Amino acid sequence: MAKNRMLLMIFISTIVTITVGCEKTPDIASPKCADLDRITNPVQKAELLKTCPRSGAAFKPSDKKSW
């Protein structure tokens, strides 16, 4: 009986571990940032680039930190 309980607990914990977070999809940081490539107005684009610095085709590395 104890062996069956142990196997059941191992099985349940394995299933729970595998399925945790499967239904969650990552959210877009901001819907405005997702539309950055489609915006043609340069004023709006410059304004969004201030709030979404890592979007676009070119890679922009972060500033170096000195801890």
Side-chain angles (χ1 to χ4, degrees):
M1 188 71 163
K3 188 176 181 180
N4 287 341
R5 280 188 171 177
M6 181 64 87
L7 288 175
L8 181 64
M9 292 302 291
I10 291 172
F11 177 73
I12 290 173
S13 63
T14 303
I15 297 298
V16 167
T17 303
I18 291 172
T19 58
V20 168
C22 287
E23 288 124 16
K24 296 179 184 175
T25 57
D27 295 329
I28 297 174
S30 171
K32 293 179 185 178
C33 292
D35 295 335
L36 185 63
D37 295 333
R38 292 182 239 142
I39 293 176
T40 57
N41 186 347
V43 175
Q44 286 180 340
K45 195 165 194 166
E47 194 173 298
L48 279 177
L49 281 173
K50 291 177 186 175
T51 59
C52 309
R54 289 197 168 259
S55 58
F59 174 73
K60 300 172 189 169
S62 299
D63 296 333
K64 297 289 182 185
K65 303 279 185 200
S66 59
W67 299 92

